[in-house]
Amino acid sequence: MVKRVSVVDVDLCVGCQSCMFACNRRFAEAGLARTAIFVQSTGGFEHGFAVKVCRACREPPCVKVCPTGALTKREGGGVRLDYRKCISCGNCVEGCTIGAIFWDKVLDKPTVCTYCGYCVSYCPYGVIKLEEVEGA
Amino acid sequence: MTEASALSRVLYVDLTNRRYWTEERRELFKECLGGTGVAIRLLMEECKAGTDPLAPENPIIFCVGYLNAVFPLASKTVAMFKSPLTKNLGESHAGGRCGVAIRMAGLGGIVIRGKSESPVYLVVSEDGVRFKDASALWGMSSSSTVGRIIREREAGAGVRAIMRIGRAGENLVSYAGVITETFRHFGRLGLGAVFGSKRLKAIVISGRSSLTLRDPRGYRAVYEELYMNFTKTSLMKKYHELGTPMNVIPLNVANSLPSRNLQRATFEGADALSGEALSEKFLGRRAACSHCPVSCIHIAALRVPYETEPYFYKTKMISYDYEPIYALSSMLDIRSPEGFLQLMDRVEELGLDAMSTGVALAWATECMERGVIGTEETEGLVLKWGDYRTYIEAVERIAGVKGDFYEALGKGVDYVSSIYGGDGFALAYGGNEMPGYHCGLATHLGFLVGARHSHLDNAGYAIDQKLNAEGRKVEPSEVAKMVFEEECWRQVLSSLVVCFFARGVYTPEVVSKCFSVMGINLAPADLKEIGGRILREKYEFKFREGFSFDKLKVPKRVTEIPTPQGLLTEERLREGIKHFEDLLKKDTKGT
């Protein structure tokens, strides 16, 4: 079963960023350096929020721009990152059309969603859910 | 990688010479926790006795604590400075994104010294500080526009705070505030004017670091328990659903909601301005501070027609809370929610403190009613209860310091009434305008003795509400003890820096567990002791700057209008003050 984190209704998002902190806690760390999901306002709190997270593309643009094959397609959609092959060029960050690859300054490597869904259990308003990728 | 227990770095910014540096102050944070505890130490270090609050020598201090960015609802930042409003301790707390942003920029505190030669805004990040020209932003009519421009120019979207002042701060109005994330404030006590005096228009601060925990597994367990308490129990229901305006109806029913400058303690517009009614008709969006699932920020969508242009409308997004409803609606007897929201919106754009502004306008309106002042003083404005359009013009004049009367009104009701009269109904405590509670003895005792004269210092108002609900009557000595003990504990919460709305969850035992997963051993009793010490240090500053329990002034009006406990007498209030003073001194001696 191939899963992904999907944004159900972004208008429910209050910008609390609990998902971002949850993602970082996967490494049992506090803070935000390693989060693979990102919430920001769309021009001030009055205009609501955008949630950026990997949507598990079938033809991921990030894979196309990775020069070392560190990023590979996951069967059914999405990507996997092999840290050993990654040379920290940052092409993937630029290459992701929706801006869902982030940079971990501590590791000096990209941060990509692993589709674990840990963040979903910390969204108080059901903005995001872990779902099966259709047709995968 | 930084350990969560290694909170230590203080950023110093010298605006005069445009220099900055950091210092490691680990011992300071270990001893004082952060937030209020560290800020009062830094204020003592930086602010000499008798400093003019608007002089370059008055520092601005921001502090966060061990729990920021580590645990939920630790979303606040503490600001300290000498207040231009009270000429004494200035302490102000704000949420939004700043608490997390400061910690994630690798900082525990920020000290801003000196005065810039020309308008400036600061960009603070993990990479250091940049001084940016703010000349083009100075004098703009709306603080929201300033926020938008900086948002577009600077990096860090999503992990930054943009603190800024409005015209009121530039013009040194004594109760000008600092706005962060459009709808949150370092309100009360005039931090905005201190920014203005330094020609500091804004501070952008961003960061995205990570912190390790000594006991990673324990961390996740403690976090999980806290998170469940905040989201799955009824503890936060009040703040979560209707937000703080849920207080309007209960306080009104209990004869505790000051109206018309406390000529009465009930408000005829309470139903229309209740949390329920505002939600039903206006609530357009909910928002949250960083790392807080509660989302108490309630934002109204108000559609306003242009009076001179048919088929033209604007839709304004205006945040509302209990205290602004008290001050800008109930106190001014504005019964139209649309009128209140428009006045609120202008107060936000100008960067005034909503509470002091409302109380000042209420005092001025009563003065007009009684003939203490006339249109000669107000330069043509006829201030009348409920007339929000005239009030909007009046706030323009306060923020613009247009004429002698408005200049004086911008220095608070204590000051303006000392010139024009009407001091019997000038509702201020220690120079700070009264909050929106007329619940009984603990409430007003709290306002009188509180370290910064805020209802949030010591929760006297909450103690009264509890006592009133239980039908209990207690003596001033016992009231003083309750106020004192709560005030001591709140120093710990505001040093962590946890939102006071989370006080039901962050008990001494829970806070002790939070420290334990960081590898810091602090028993509940140790924490309480630290709270008492921090409180004492704040009073040391206050005494140094001329505060005295004997000199405290009880506004006469407060003793003329019955509370749910009947009429308060000055005698009982003085008795309470005496007991509070004894408790504080006893604590000082450690006996």
Side-chain angles (χ1 to χ4, degrees):
Chain A
M1 261 193 314
V2 180
K3 295 198 170 177
R4 68 165 189 157
V5 175
S6 81
V7 180
V8 181
D9 183 354
V10 77
D11 285 318
L12 280 171
C13 181
V14 295
C16 72
Q17 305 183 322
S18 296
C19 54
M20 293 167 61
F21 286 97
C23 188
N24 214 72
R25 269 198 320 286
R26 290 179 304 138
F27 306 96
E29 285 172 13
L32 297 167
R34 295 165 164 226
T35 182
I37 184 167
F38 208 81
V39 175
Q40 67 182 79
S41 79
T42 54
F45 273 29
E46 65 269 44
H47 295 113
F49 301 91
V51 180
K52 294 179 181 175
V53 62
C54 177
R55 64 191 306 271
C57 309
R58 287 290 171 90
E59 294 297 331
C62 54
V63 171
K64 294 173 193 164
V65 297
C66 177
T68 62
L71 274 171
T72 49
K73 279 192 203 176
R74 182 181 64 152
E75 199 179 328
V79 294
R80 293 187 194 286
L81 172 65
D82 183 343
Y83 282 92
R84 291 166 304 180
K85 289 186 184 166
C86 175
I87 55 165
S88 309
C89 68
N91 281 5
C92 53
V93 175
E94 296 294 317
C96 177
T97 317
I98 60 169
I101 297 185
F102 309 96
W103 202 256
D104 181 338
K105 274 193 186 176
V106 183
L107 290 179
D108 194 33
K109 298 279 184 204
T111 317
V112 190
C113 182
T114 57
Y115 320 102
C116 73
Y118 190 67
C119 55
V120 172
S121 38
Y122 290 91
C123 175
Y125 302 103
V127 178
I128 44 177
K129 68 170 180 188
L130 189 67
E131 64 172 20
E132 281 183 39
V133 180
E134 274 181 46
Chain B
M1 188 81 65
T2 316
E3 281 199 46
S5 59
L7 186 64
S8 62
R9 189 168 298 154
V10 177
L11 170 69
Y12 290 82
V13 179
D14 172 359
L15 290 173
T16 309
N17 301 302
R18 301 216 165 185
R19 286 180 61 242
Y20 74 91
W21 65 96
T22 59
E23 286 178 24
E24 299 299 327
R25 305 289 304 265
R26 187 180 276 215
E27 288 307 311
L28 176 64
F29 280 88
K30 268 169 85 175
E31 201 181 331
C32 306
L33 304 183
T36 297
V38 168
I40 186 63
R41 282 276 173 96
L42 291 172
L43 186 70
M44 274 293 202
E45 285 176 14
E46 298 287 325
C47 183
K48 290 202 183 88
T51 297
D52 172 358
L54 297 176
E57 291 74 27
N58 189 20
I60 295 169
I61 291 152
F62 292 105
C63 280
V64 295
Y66 285 101
L67 267 54
N68 290 95
V70 180
F71 288 105
L73 274 84
S75 305
K76 293 264 183 173
T77 305
V78 168
M80 273 207 200
F81 48 97
K82 187 171 172 184
S83 163
L85 184 63
T86 63
K87 311 286 187 284
N88 208 307
L89 179 65
E91 180 183 349
S92 184
H93 305 173
R97 299 232 185 282
C98 53
V100 166
I102 293 172
R103 184 95 201 258
M104 292 286 89
L107 302 170
I110 302 172
V111 174
I112 299 169
R113 294 176 180 166
K115 176 184 178 177
S116 175
E117 205 174 275
S118 58
V120 68
Y121 74 90
L122 300 176
V123 179
V124 181
S125 71
E126 290 150 281
D127 302 326
V129 179
R130 296 289 172 268
F131 298 81
K132 303 271 184 109
D133 187 274
S135 308
L137 304 175
W138 207 257
M140 272 190 177
S141 71
S142 168
S143 61
S144 306
T145 312
V146 174
R148 180 184 61 73
I149 292 165
I150 294 177
R151 200 179 295 132
E152 287 170 8
R153 282 179 63 84
E154 302 299 337
V159 290
R160 68 183 171 193
I162 304 178
M163 307 172 187
R164 67 264 196 179
I165 59 168
R167 249 186 215 172
E170 293 173 6
N171 292 331
L172 313 181
V173 174
S174 296
Y175 44 85
V178 171
I179 300 151
T180 189
E181 287 64 82
T182 319
F183 300 121
R184 299 292 93 186
H185 313 88
F186 290 96
R188 326 272 19 228
L189 301 170
L191 179 61
V194 183
F195 265 54
S197 72
K198 297 185 176 309
R199 313 274 276 172
L200 178 59
K201 183 66 184 176
I203 305 174
V204 191
I205 179 150
S206 64
R208 203 162 79 80
S209 56
S210 221
L211 302 163
T212 57
L213 282 297
R214 196 64 61 87
D215 171 10
R217 187 171 296 181
Y219 169 50
R220 279 169 53 152
V222 174
Y223 191 103
E224 181 68 22
E225 190 185 329
L226 283 167
Y227 196 82
M228 292 300 278
N229 268 324
F230 287 128
T231 53
K232 300 281 193 280
T233 69
S234 59
L235 281 165
M236 305 307 288
K237 190 166 181 266
K238 163 178 165 180
Y239 307 111
H240 171 73
E241 289 181 349
L242 296 176
T244 55
M246 77 84 68
N247 284 331
V248 173
I249 299 271
L251 284 167
N252 190 49
V253 170
N255 294 311
S256 301
L257 173 53
S259 182
R260 292 197 178 210
N261 202 36
L262 194 55
Q263 292 183 48
R264 43 183 90 153
T266 55
F267 171 39
E268 287 187 36
D271 284 339
L273 270 300
S274 64
E276 291 83 350
L278 289 171
S279 283
E280 195 185 317
K281 295 197 178 130
F282 300 98
L283 183 57
R285 192 172 285 288
R286 296 260 304 271
C289 298
S290 285
H291 216 173
C292 175
V294 177
S295 80
C296 77
I297 306 172
H298 285 58
I299 306 166
L302 180 70
R303 184 172 176 249
V304 191
Y306 279 84
E307 284 169 7
T308 51
E309 193 73 39
Y311 302 108
F312 258 93
Y313 294 86
K314 59 183 168 186
T315 301
K316 303 296 294 267
M317 301 300 282
I318 305 152
S319 149
Y320 59 88
D321 264 300
Y322 172 72
E323 295 290 352
I325 293 171
Y326 144 71
L328 295 174
S329 172
S330 182
M331 279 293 261
L332 303 176
D333 207 5
I334 294 173
R335 300 175 199 177
S336 137
E338 290 86 354
F340 154 70
L341 288 168
Q342 286 180 68
L343 177 59
M344 179 73 228
D345 187 40
R346 200 59 195 130
V347 166
E348 288 271 37
E349 288 177 335
L350 292 166
L352 287 160
D353 176 70
M355 291 162 70
S356 284
T357 303
V359 173
L361 290 173
W363 170 86
T365 309
E366 184 168 346
C367 278
M368 276 206 116
E369 208 175 45
R370 292 174 182 273
V372 177
I373 58 166
T375 47
E376 203 175 305
E377 284 82 9
T378 62
E379 297 180 42
L381 290 189
V382 180
L383 299 166
K384 279 198 308 263
W385 303 118
D387 179 4
Y388 68 88
R389 288 188 178 85
T390 307
Y391 287 129
I392 288 173
E393 177 54 31
V395 298
E396 294 290 346
R397 296 188 189 184
I398 293 172
V401 195
K402 291 178 181 156
D404 295 345
F405 177 71
Y406 295 100
E407 184 177 356
L409 201 55
K411 291 183 177 169
V413 292
D414 246 8
Y415 178 81
V416 70
S417 65
S418 73
I419 296 173
Y420 294 90
D423 65 328
F425 50 89
L427 293 166
Y429 285 108
N432 189 20
E433 282 65 31
M434 179 186 143
Y437 301 85
H438 190 53
C439 307
L441 184 65
T443 306
H444 290 283
L445 179 63
F447 299 159
L448 278 160
V449 299
R452 57 191 171 112
H453 307 288
S454 143
H455 66 296
L456 289 172
D457 280 343
N458 46 55
Y461 68 108
I463 292 167
D464 272 334
Q465 282 174 292
K466 194 158 173 279
L467 292 174
N468 297 349
E470 292 167 358
R472 274 173 68 200
K473 286 212 162 123
V474 292
E475 287 308 300
S477 56
E478 199 180 330
V479 170
K481 190 162 177 280
M482 287 190 271
V483 166
F484 179 77
E485 283 173 2
E486 178 68 19
E487 178 140 7
C488 287
W489 176 244
R490 288 195 176 200
Q491 306 313 309
V492 175
L493 296 177
S494 67
S495 297
L496 296 174
V497 178
V498 161
C499 177
F500 286 150
F501 292 171
R503 63 187 180 271
V505 174
Y506 280 108
T507 59
E509 290 70 26
V510 168
V511 173
S512 177
K513 273 205 278 184
C514 292
F515 273 109
S516 137
V517 298
M518 290 184 227
I520 298 172
N521 189 17
L522 279 169
D526 301 333
L527 289 163
K528 287 184 190 168
E529 197 188 310
I530 292 172
R533 196 190 68 219
I534 293 169
L535 182 65
R536 198 178 70 225
E537 289 185 24
K538 280 162 65 168
Y539 279 95
E540 271 169 31
F541 183 89
K542 284 176 74 70
F543 290 134
R544 195 193 78 180
E545 298 299 325
F547 174 86
S548 140
F549 286 107
D550 298 335
K551 283 195 285 182
L552 281 173
K553 203 173 84 189
V554 179
K556 195 155 161 273
R557 172 61 47 79
V558 166
T559 60
E560 293 169 342
I561 303 297
T563 71
Q565 300 165 2
L567 277 177
L568 292 177
T569 62
E570 184 158 342
E571 196 188 354
R572 275 171 71 84
L573 281 165
R574 296 259 172 235
E575 205 184 321
I577 293 170
K578 185 81 194 66
H579 283 287
F580 186 92
E581 188 180 0
D582 288 346
L583 286 165
L584 188 74
K585 288 193 172 155
K586 201 165 134 189
D587 205 49
T588 311
K589 286 178 202 145
T591 53

